[in-house]
Amino acid sequence: MPVAGEKSWNDLSGPERRAIRFAKWLEPEGVTFRDAEAKAAYKQRVSRLIDAVELEKAPDRVPVLTKMGFYPAHRAGLTPYDAMNDTDRALEAWSRATIELQPDGLISPLHNTMPAKAFELLDYRLYDWPGHNLPKDAGYQYNEDEYMTPEEYDHLIEDPSDFLWRVYLPRVVGAYEGFSILSPAYDMVELPFSTAHIGPWGAPHQKDGFERLAAAGREVGTWAEKVFPMIAQMQGAGFPDYWGYATKAPFDFIGDSLRGTRGVIVDMFKKPEKVIEACERLAPLMVRWALAHTTVDSAPGIFIPLHKGADGFMSDEQFRTFYWPSLKKVLLGLIDHGFVPWLFAEGGYNSRLEAIAELPKGTTVWMFDRTDMVEAKRVIGGTACIQGNVPLSMMHMSTPDEVTAYCRELIRTAGHGGGFILDVGANMESPKEENVVAMIQAAKQYGAYS
Amino acid sequence: MAHDLVEALVHMKEKEALSIVEVSLEGGGDPNDILASCSEAMQIVGERFQEGSYFLPELIMSGEMLKKIAAILKPHMATQVASEAKLGRVVLGTVRGDIHDIGKDIVGFVLDVNGFEVTDLGINVPEQKFVDAVRDLSPGVLALSGFLTIAFDTMKSTIAALEEAGLRNGLRVIIGGGQIDETVRAFTGADAYGADAMAAVAYTKEMAGAK
């Protein structure tokens, strides 16, 4: 990690680290600006976002971001299947979306153009994707199941990575099946012990897995060689990236991907102490996960999709017992590293606002979907930046005038005094283009502060 | 026994509930009484969910406990229990292109404990499968679920397919899911939308003329 002035990174406080990340965000490494105008536009947009996040002063105007899934493909006449099977055309579509719609941040292709072929090669079973058990015009979707048994909490808690490598991955990804016969990596620290670990790598069926992994790796490599330059190019055109990486709430990590909704809920009643212990164990690893993929030059936001803590998914008492304590540790850990946790509270979060108000001021962004924005502004407006929440139904079916009126009202109420980013409530897939334009225009036309 | 079993189930005490069931059966208890207690307990769980003191976890845990009790009872059930009179039949499913099931399952559970006979067609259900089910089962209400925006279109095409098959008249269609609201209802041609499972039950009861 770099040195800031006299102090090394390790000696800096969270706010000092964030200040460095923000400064680097304003002057991004490895970005060539198209021209002076693009550079000025970039800086203005980043400053606008920083002001909205920090809550120290209102930005020049309400920033506007555009949460979307496969919409850039849709508007270019491509299906989600095309987006995941034809990188060149997909990236062209994503570039055009940013350039033509002109939001305050780039529309990232990272989470919708991943090469389907890699997942086919790997026999990746956690998701279905367009053309693979789903129609070509549908987005990828998760296959919920109990991929971890209730008896395996102890292995997960004692040694999470070992559990993931040797137990979990062989179950959920075909190419990793051979890893189930490997011994723990501890064997390798002593030559006389190492044979126990080395031997299973030579089992005949490992070869097929290795070959598939290597082929999938090449697919992703080819994609990455195109996608990252495209992102830099969009920054160079004046549109900042804002998420450096992503992580998850520990309870969701377990409930979404390991035990499944039913599994984790039954565990809440039958082995509550194990669920809590596992969440606590995973909390620092969720921070480390984001750190592993970022440098001080990365965009400061860390995207966190929230699932099982929403209104209705559990009571307040259950939220306070199972969900929030470890998530709060993740957030405070990320904040201490100078990141800005950028949470997507899909569904409603009306009953959780009091918890959010416990966080340090000006350190997080909360993207709301069905949450009451006026109430959110009242309860957490002094704590966090709020983002949202034009309903997707409106983007699909209303008129531009209706969208404009809705946005003006949001700006007046949720946007009052700053700390607000205008956006839709959840990912757009096939909205009316004129409604997207109306939303973006509303921020520019009616969002000026002072 | 009966009261203890209801208590144990309502308080999510699985071990206790299962042991009460086993002790009762060993003592020559009537499996039908056990089932009646289960039904009473689920009624209470459903009420608590509807009034907002129980949430998804209690619904799911109740379902899990019932499954286990049903497995214990099975060998003891000499004759089929006469099913109680139901308020009406509801066909339920997540529309094509969408594989989300949690919301659909909640609605199914709450309708069931409120006395409806629920036929769940599952997830990613093609239009034709809904048409066939409506034709074969003649439900009073069809409930379409969807979490993704792709469901806006497939709810619409499902309802259109029912119209084309001449099955729309007299059938009440209610839709629900993450992004569903009045705007989507109007777009799809459904009769109603439910903001949550309780709204779905209220509507279905109203349609069945029940209180």
Side-chain angles (χ1 to χ4, degrees):
Chain A
M1 281 292 181
V3 172
E6 299 297 302
K7 284 181 175 174
S8 80
W9 184 260
N10 287 339
D11 299 327
L12 297 174
S13 68
E16 286 171 323
R17 289 171 176 170
R18 187 165 54 251
I20 293 172
R21 288 190 189 277
F22 281 171
K24 298 230 169 211
W25 193 18
L26 277 160
E27 303 278 349
E29 190 88 356
V31 171
T32 311
F33 286 102
R34 190 177 283 178
D35 50 33
E37 200 185 325
K39 187 173 182 179
Y42 176 94
K43 289 190 96 158
Q44 191 179 30
R45 289 187 173 114
V46 172
S47 303
R48 194 173 283 145
L49 290 169
I50 289 174
D51 287 342
V53 171
E54 285 190 316
L55 307 177
E56 292 299 326
K57 61 176 169 49
D60 60 338
R61 70 156 165 80
V62 168
V64 58
L65 294 176
T66 45
K67 212 179 272 102
M68 52 182 79
F70 286 98
Y71 178 51
H74 179 81
R75 67 192 289 281
L78 305 178
T79 61
Y81 174 87
D82 296 329
M84 293 179 70
N85 284 280
D86 187 340
T87 304
D88 292 329
R89 284 170 73 205
L91 294 185
E92 169 66 24
W94 257 260
S95 299
R96 274 179 48 200
T98 299
I99 299 292
E100 291 169 10
L101 293 169
Q102 302 258 318
D104 284 318
L106 69 86
I107 296 167
S108 175
L110 271 181
H111 298 143
N112 296 88
T113 64
M114 311 76 64
K117 197 163 174 209
F119 306 110
E120 296 281 359
L121 282 162
L122 292 178
D123 181 19
Y124 188 87
R125 299 160 189 167
L126 281 169
Y127 276 73
D128 287 334
W129 53 89
H132 181 96
N133 299 329
L134 282 175
K136 289 183 176 180
D137 60 350
Y140 51 80
Q141 296 173 47
Y142 187 67
N143 286 319
E144 244 199 57
D145 211 338
E146 287 195 27
Y147 298 110
M148 171 182 134
T149 69
E151 292 73 34
E152 287 167 341
Y153 270 101
D154 286 333
H155 190 175
L156 173 72
I157 291 163
E158 282 161 19
D159 200 340
S161 289
D162 185 66
F163 173 74
L164 292 178
W165 279 111
R166 297 193 305 116
V167 182
Y168 178 72
L169 285 178
R171 282 181 196 154
V172 300
V173 187
Y176 285 86
E177 263 165 25
F179 284 41
S180 65
I181 62 164
L182 298 180
S183 71
Y186 312 115
D187 290 333
M188 292 302 282
V189 303
E190 292 287 352
L191 181 142
F193 305 162
S194 64
T195 51
H197 184 75
I198 298 167
W201 290 98
H205 66 280
Q206 298 284 19
K207 189 164 172 269
D208 172 59
F210 299 152
E211 281 170 2
R212 282 150 69 191
L213 274 165
R218 285 190 292 271
E219 287 292 329
V220 169
T222 307
W223 168 77
E225 276 170 22
K226 293 174 177 172
V227 75
F228 289 105
M230 173 267 183
I231 289 173
Q233 202 188 1
M234 287 300 107
Q235 290 171 284
F239 300 93
D241 198 1
Y242 43 101
W243 295 338
Y245 204 69
T247 190
K248 290 194 67 171
F251 187 89
D252 286 335
F253 189 92
I254 297 165
D256 292 350
S257 312
L258 303 180
R259 295 282 296 127
T261 307
R262 275 174 197 75
V264 80
I265 281 174
V266 169
D267 300 339
M268 282 166 63
F269 293 103
K270 291 169 74 169
K271 39 178 71 192
E273 69 297 335
K274 289 293 175 196
V275 178
I276 293 168
E277 201 183 340
C279 287
E280 291 293 318
R281 178 73 176 97
L282 289 172
L285 303 182
M286 298 295 101
V287 177
R288 183 174 288 273
W289 184 12
L291 274 173
H293 290 277
T294 50
T295 69
V296 72
D297 291 306
S298 306
I302 298 295
F303 172 57
I304 309 179
L306 302 178
H307 297 140
K308 296 180 166 47
D311 292 341
F313 273 76
M314 52 175 74
S315 70
D316 245 4
E317 195 192 331
Q318 288 160 341
F319 179 78
R320 291 280 186 174
T321 306
F322 293 99
Y323 198 91
W324 180 242
S326 53
L327 171 58
K328 190 174 174 183
K329 280 186 187 157
V330 174
L331 300 180
L332 294 177
L334 291 170
I335 292 165
D336 188 50
H337 282 283
F339 290 118
V340 177
W342 214 295
L343 302 105
F344 179 26
E346 198 165 7
Y349 243 61
N350 295 298
S351 54
R352 321 300 189 205
L353 295 173
E354 304 285 348
I356 297 173
E358 296 164 9
L359 296 170
K361 180 188 169 188
T363 58
T364 55
V365 179
W366 289 79
M367 297 185 276
F368 289 126
D369 175 18
R370 308 295 283 252
T371 302
D372 179 338
M373 292 298 272
V374 175
E375 191 58 10
K377 184 72 172 182
R378 188 184 71 77
V379 181
I380 64 165
T383 306
C385 175
I386 58 175
Q387 180 172 337
N389 73 343
V390 185
L392 287 186
S393 60
M394 180 167 249
M395 300 307 284
H396 276 248
M397 292 148 203
S398 297
T399 65
D401 284 348
E402 288 166 329
V403 171
T404 303
Y406 189 93
C407 292
R408 286 188 76 172
E409 184 59 15
L410 259 183
I411 290 167
R412 189 181 71 79
T413 53
H416 179 72
F420 171 64
I421 299 170
L422 182 64
D423 195 351
V424 281
N427 277 342
M428 292 186 279
E429 302 294 339
S430 53
K432 285 187 196 163
E433 173 95 358
E434 59 267 34
N435 288 347
V436 183
V437 170
M439 178 183 80
I440 294 167
Q441 202 49 39
K444 295 178 182 177
Q445 202 168 340
Y446 306 107
Y449 289 104
S450 80
Chain B
M1 181 287 289
H3 177 73
D4 291 347
L5 179 56
V6 173
E7 280 290 299
L9 287 170
V10 167
H11 292 106
M12 308 292 136
K13 297 197 184 313
E14 183 184 275
K15 252 191 210 160
E16 214 177 299
L18 296 182
S19 107
I20 293 170
V21 169
E22 269 156 11
V23 169
S24 160
L25 287 174
E26 279 162 22
D30 184 350
N32 285 310
D33 292 343
I34 294 172
L35 279 183
S37 297
C38 290
S39 169
E40 190 186 334
M42 289 312 109
Q43 191 78 28
I44 298 171
V45 170
E47 279 162 18
R48 291 192 180 179
F49 180 76
Q50 279 165 271
E51 63 190 41
S53 58
Y54 274 7
F55 294 82
L56 178 67
E58 287 79 11
L59 294 193
I60 287 185
M61 188 63 199
S62 300
E64 294 294 323
M65 292 188 295
L66 282 193
K67 256 191 246 165
K68 291 199 174 156
I69 293 178
I72 297 173
L73 289 184
K74 212 172 173 192
H76 298 269
M77 304 290 289
T79 49
Q80 198 70 22
V81 202
S83 69
E84 313 161 44
K86 295 279 183 179
L87 288 177
R89 188 190 281 276
V90 179
V91 168
L92 170 72
T94 302
V95 293
R96 181 172 59 81
D98 197 325
I99 63 172
H100 290 86
D101 60 2
I102 294 174
K104 170 183 69 64
D105 291 350
I106 296 175
V107 170
F109 181 97
V110 183
L111 283 172
D112 183 72
V113 300
N114 275 279
F116 288 92
E117 182 151 19
V118 179
T119 304
D120 186 342
L121 300 182
I123 53 174
N124 194 13
V125 178
E127 286 84 344
Q128 191 57 43
K129 199 169 165 189
F130 280 115
V131 170
D132 294 344
V134 167
R135 181 180 293 123
D136 297 346
L137 302 171
S138 311
V141 173
L142 172 68
L144 303 178
S145 176
F147 180 74
L148 305 171
T149 57
I150 191 171
F152 298 170
D153 294 321
T154 48
M155 282 174 174
K156 190 183 169 94
S157 57
T158 299
I159 293 171
L162 287 162
E163 252 160 39
E164 214 164 288
L167 295 167
R168 182 71 178 86
N169 278 349
L171 174 70
R172 296 295 173 158
V173 183
I174 182 168
I175 59 173
Q179 301 295 333
I180 304 300
D181 57 16
E182 174 55 26
T183 313
V184 182
R185 185 209 62 76
F187 171 77
T188 58
D191 298 302
Y193 82 95
D196 52 38
M198 283 69 84
V201 171
Y203 178 79
T204 310
K205 278 189 162 177
E206 196 189 317
M207 288 307 113
K211 285 185 188 140

